[in-house]
Amino acid sequence: MRLPMNEVPSSAFRPRNFGFVLFVILLGVGAWIVLEANRPWAKWVTFSSPSTAVAGQPFPVHLELASPIPAGRLGIDLHGRGGSSPSRRSTVVGVFSTELQPGQGSYRVEIPLNPRATSRFVRAVIYLSPTGHWKDRLRSANTEDFDLLPAGSSASTAAARITAQRVFDLGGVSVVPRVRSWRIRTLTTTLWLAAFGILALRLARTRGVPVVLEPGRRPLAETWLCVAFLIAAVADGFDLSRALGDVARRLAHRLSAYESRVPGQQLISALAIAALVGASLTLFRCRMPIPLRIAAAAVTCALGLVCLDSLSLHAIDEIAEKPCWGWPLIQWANLTCAVMALVGIQLARPPGSAPP
């Protein structure tokens, strides 16, 4: 049966929805490009090498260190990952260390590669340390992955072309210090609990009482909103982003994937930004009353910030941890979300109440 031209089935795909999905996808791609451009480049060292390594063959490296040259030792570890081993851990397949010479910034070395290495990829980790130990490092950086060919391959690193490689700063213990004010955390948690209490009390009073809801208003939606307020309160009160970040960091160290974490962090951060903006815009476009849309978008943004804070990507940390009137910007953002949510809940009329 053919429908009249002025009638479109509700399940039909709307061009406006396609445009919105395309916008979110482009937003994610744009976020990834911006984050990639803001990766922490290591300005204190330039690293040149072949783009492929061969197990059992020396790996030639040319390093240039920027002045001033500190006293201590230069270390270069080649970390291999992937391959036939069932373990997901990376392994050290090559090690080099030398005393730093005063005023000498250029070093041409050959790093011996383990002939039994079965990894698919290898990356160089460069560090300067007064003692030569990684834990005492003053500066550290790593390269991106190179292909690692098995021993006996016909390729030769001796004849390979040496080109400049991208090098990213790893810093010391922490590239961007994480500072949080317990006062603003307490205030933000209190506001989330207040929004949760108000909405929970309204839902309890209307339970079992027949009411006429406003268009687009659903008791289930308000129940989920109430749960979201409680999660936001717990996240701020217990500094959940720090706890999640510590767990992820320990897991990365356990799997020896800490040095190669950035691409994954960057991809997830870009997806989180796109999802956060997409979800907020979807809530603003839904049929709920405007005050509830504001409250829902505010708590969505707050939970998205928890996710981004947990990932602790350097490019985002630089913005999030920037102080403003003594508090980091991310705490101001969380406080703003809590205020907007509380105001939205206060302005929203209880279900079934008569309009003014």
Side-chain angles (χ1 to χ4, degrees), residues 88-291:
R88 296 171 61 188
R89 293 174 177 268
S90 66
T91 55
V92 178
V93 296
V95 176
F96 173 83
S97 180
T98 187
E99 194 76 22
L100 289 166
Q101 302 300 320
Q104 180 180 342
S106 180
Y107 294 85
R108 292 180 181 272
V109 301
E110 289 189 342
I111 307 173
L113 266 166
N114 189 337
R116 294 189 297 272
T118 57
S119 305
R120 291 180 56 200
F121 308 103
V122 67
R123 68 172 50 206
V125 178
I126 310 113
Y127 60 96
L128 305 181
S129 168
T131 63
H133 298 299
W134 168 259
K135 63 182 180 64
D136 301 322
R137 65 195 182 279
L138 300 172
R139 300 174 184 170
S140 60
N142 67 355
T143 66
E144 294 185 308
D145 288 340
F146 309 117
D147 290 329
L148 178 59
L149 303 179
S153 172
S154 59
S156 172
T157 53
R161 182 166 172 261
I162 294 179
T163 57
Q165 309 294 339
R166 301 204 299 175
V167 185
F168 304 100
D169 195 49
L170 294 174
V173 177
S174 176
V175 177
V176 182
R178 188 182 191 275
V179 180
R180 293 293 182 270
S181 167
W182 66 268
R183 291 182 178 86
I184 194 170
R185 272 181 53 208
T186 303
L187 176 58
T188 306
T189 303
T190 302
L191 293 176
W192 285 124
L193 288 175
F196 164 76
I198 293 171
L199 187 54
L201 186 60
R202 288 180 183 174
L203 290 173
R205 285 176 175 173
T206 57
R207 177 167 294 181
V209 178
V211 294
V212 178
L213 297 179
E214 299 173 53
R217 192 154 185 170
R218 304 284 192 277
L220 183 60
E222 295 193 7
T223 301
W224 279 112
L225 189 58
C226 195
V227 172
F229 289 158
L230 183 59
I231 294 174
V234 171
D236 254 297
F238 292 94
D239 201 0
L240 186 61
S241 57
R242 177 191 288 273
L244 292 175
D246 289 343
V247 169
R249 199 170 293 109
R250 286 196 297 270
L251 182 61
H253 278 298
R254 184 174 300 173
L255 298 175
S256 297
Y258 187 75
E259 293 86 6
S260 57
R261 72 193 185 280
V262 174
Q265 276 181 307
Q266 193 167 288
L267 176 61
I268 297 173
S269 296
L271 293 175
I273 292 171
L276 174 61
V277 175
S280 300
L281 291 177
T282 300
L283 288 169
F284 273 117
R285 296 165 69 217
C286 72
R287 297 182 59 199
M288 284 194 302
I290 292 178

Side-chain angles (χ1 to χ4, degrees), residues 11 36 160 166 194 214 263 293 314 318:
S11 59
E36 174 69 14
R166 301 204 299 175
E214 299 173 53
R293 296 185 209 176
H314 178 91
E318 280 194 330

Side-chain angles (χ1 to χ4, degrees), residues 22-36 270-271 274:
L22 181 62
F23 168 76
V24 173
I25 293 173
L26 292 177
L27 180 65
V29 173
W32 187 89
I33 293 173
V34 171
L35 293 175
E36 174 69 14
L271 293 175

